[in-house]
Amino acid sequence: MSGISPSSGSDQRPLILVADDDKDIRVFLRKVMEKERYRVIEVNDGKQCLDAYQTIKPDIVLLDALMPVMDGFTCCKHLRQIAKNNLKSAVETFDTDSTLNNTVISKIWEPSTPILMITCLDDEESVNRAFEVEATDYVTKPIHWPVLRQRLRGLLKQAHVYKQLEAANQALQHLANIDGLTQLANRRRFDDYLNNQWINLVQKESPLSMILCDIDFFKFYNDRYGHPAGDICLQKVGAVLSLKAQKHEDLVARYGGEEFAVIMPDTPASGAVHVAEVIQAGIKDLQIVHDASAVSRYVTLSMGVATVVPTWESSPSDLIVLADKALYQAKAGGRDRFVSSF
């Protein structure tokens, strides 16, 4: 394997990964492609190609069909599966409706790195096999550089368009799942994450905790200081919640209006209570003046804390109901506090 390292962010020249067990062909390809200002990485077989592909993220793969250890057809099949798995993981990270998911999968998985098969086999069966493993195109040996050069240029243009589509899709996914004001997860993302974690924790028989939060007398805050100030207040409260819910798996969401929610997988009741205490202290430290409040001269939160061990016989809504009842009790008990429901 020749000089493999992750591609430099400062060097924007196209990066070509060449997999061929014939050293003379690799030398020839490197020579002519470097004259075209391409960067070139060489490997000897399909197994090395898979390893290099995930390390350097090339713009194009030139893949010999017949190689030791792993042939090009098998390698191409694995490369396409890697791309599909990466896309599936990316899509599942976001909450999008089924129509958008289908559009994403059909348009984005395909544009994974173009794969150009290089083979001495030009019979119909070999050509069909190349396309069955979803190679983008093929050329035959002996390689005619003018033909290959045009193929590379066309594929690079195609890859550039696909990358633009992928970037646009990621931006769309972000907008579909993020609350525009607070930049926290929105209600759509909250529902999706809760359902997914419920299924996951049923299998693990592990606890799931939730905190529902409500800014005390927020309507009066808006009436006294105006909605622009209210928006700033929501942003500051959301920032504290995001900071204090420290586990990577925790999700902080704007639940609606002045309500927020924290989903905490693998968190027992004691851990959820601790997070509520830390959140309460963080909000007090903000010292956002709220002269219209009946409980404090500063903005405060009422919180309901609930913990369950998910089962197939119960549902995520049961946890929400428990947290909501606890929140109601916190408000009825004088606000500026949290109540736990176990």
Side-chain angles (χ1 to χ4, degrees):
M1 202 176 300
S2 176
I4 291 183
S5 62
S7 58
S8 170
S10 61
D11 192 342
Q12 299 302 314
R13 293 178 300 155
L15 178 60
I16 313 297
L17 173 60
V18 177
D20 198 310
D21 62 320
D22 188 323
K23 183 177 179 180
D24 291 337
I25 291 178
R26 295 201 312 271
V27 170
F28 166 72
L29 290 174
R30 173 181 285 277
K31 180 179 178 181
V32 294
M33 288 193 292
E34 287 183 343
K35 284 185 178 179
E36 294 289 315
R37 301 291 296 165
Y38 297 141
R39 293 176 291 155
V40 181
I41 296 293
E42 305 170 29
V43 294
N44 301 326
D45 57 58
K47 177 62 171 62
Q48 290 183 0
C49 182
L50 290 178
D51 295 338
Y53 176 82
Q54 298 185 78
T55 301
I56 66 174
K57 298 178 175 58
D59 294 289
I60 291 181
V61 177
L62 298 185
L63 188 60
D64 186 25
L66 301 180
M67 295 183 290
V69 183
M70 179 187 292
D71 65 46
F73 299 113
T74 304
C75 179
C76 184
K77 185 176 181 180
H78 284 303
L79 290 173
R80 289 312 190 200
Q81 190 59 51
I82 290 171
K84 292 177 185 179
N85 290 342
N86 289 342
L87 174 69
K88 181 180 179 183
S89 176
V91 170
E92 288 177 349
T93 302
F94 299 95
D95 173 37
T96 53
D97 59 43
S98 59
T99 301
L100 180 56
N101 278 346
N102 291 336
T103 301
V104 170
I105 292 172
S106 64
K107 290 189 176 180
I108 302 299
W109 88 257
E110 179 184 358
S112 57
T113 309
I115 300 173
L116 187 60
M117 297 285 286
I118 301 177
T119 177
C120 59
L121 306 175
D122 58 358
D123 59 282
E124 183 177 353
E125 181 181 353
S126 298
V127 172
N128 289 339
R129 189 180 176 193
F131 288 118
E132 282 174 3
V133 295
E134 302 177 85
T136 310
D137 205 343
Y138 77 99
V139 293
T140 58
K141 298 178 181 179
I143 298 172
H144 297 284
W145 171 240
V147 174
L148 179 57
R149 177 172 54 195
Q150 293 304 318
R151 296 275 177 85
L152 290 175
R153 288 177 177 176
L155 290 175
L156 284 169
K157 290 179 180 178
Q158 178 182 350
H160 178 68
V161 171
Y162 285 149
K163 286 182 179 180
Q164 289 180 319
L165 284 173
E166 186 173 8
N169 173 66
Q170 290 175 351
L172 180 60
Q173 290 173 334
H174 178 80
L175 290 174
N177 290 279
I178 298 299
D179 174 64
L181 177 64
T182 64
Q183 296 302 299
L184 299 175
N186 60 16
R187 180 63 181 271
R188 173 197 289 258
R189 175 63 177 148
F190 167 88
D191 290 336
D192 182 67
Y193 191 75
L194 179 59
N195 289 332
N196 288 339
Q197 288 302 320
W198 190 272
I199 294 172
N200 180 46
L201 295 174
V202 165
Q203 298 168 338
K204 294 172 60 177
E205 298 182 349
S206 186
L208 176 63
S209 292
M210 178 182 296
I211 303 175
L212 286 182
C213 315
D214 189 274
I215 300 177
D216 295 323
F217 302 107
F218 188 69
K219 181 181 182 303
F220 296 158
Y221 186 93
N222 275 334
D223 291 344
R224 174 67 64 88
Y225 302 105
H227 288 281
D231 288 347
I232 294 174
C233 177
L234 289 169
Q235 291 170 336
K236 289 182 176 180
V237 169
V240 168
L241 290 169
S242 183
L243 178 65
K244 301 305 180 183
Q246 296 179 348
K247 282 212 333 285
H248 175 70
E249 298 85 0
D250 294 346
L251 179 80
V252 179
R254 187 178 179 190
Y255 193 69
E258 69 272 21
E259 290 187 316
F260 297 86
V262 185
I263 300 174
M264 294 169 287
D266 295 304
T267 302
S270 59
V273 166
H274 173 71
V275 173
E277 290 172 342
V278 171
I279 289 174
Q280 189 176 47
I283 297 301
K284 289 185 183 297
D285 288 342
L286 286 177
Q287 293 193 335
I288 302 174
V289 175
H290 188 356
D291 289 333
S293 172
V295 295
S296 172
R297 57 177 304 226
Y298 300 112
V299 165
T300 57
L301 287 185
S302 295
M303 291 178 281
V305 185
T307 301
V308 299
V309 176
T311 66
W312 294 122
E313 291 72 33
S314 55
S315 72
S317 62
D318 296 332
L319 179 60
I320 297 175
V321 168
L322 287 174
D324 193 53
K325 287 182 177 178
L327 175 59
Y328 176 82
Q329 293 172 5
K331 291 180 179 180
R335 303 180 189 249
D336 188 19
R337 67 194 64 206
F338 64 86
V339 171
S340 300
S341 175
F342 305 128

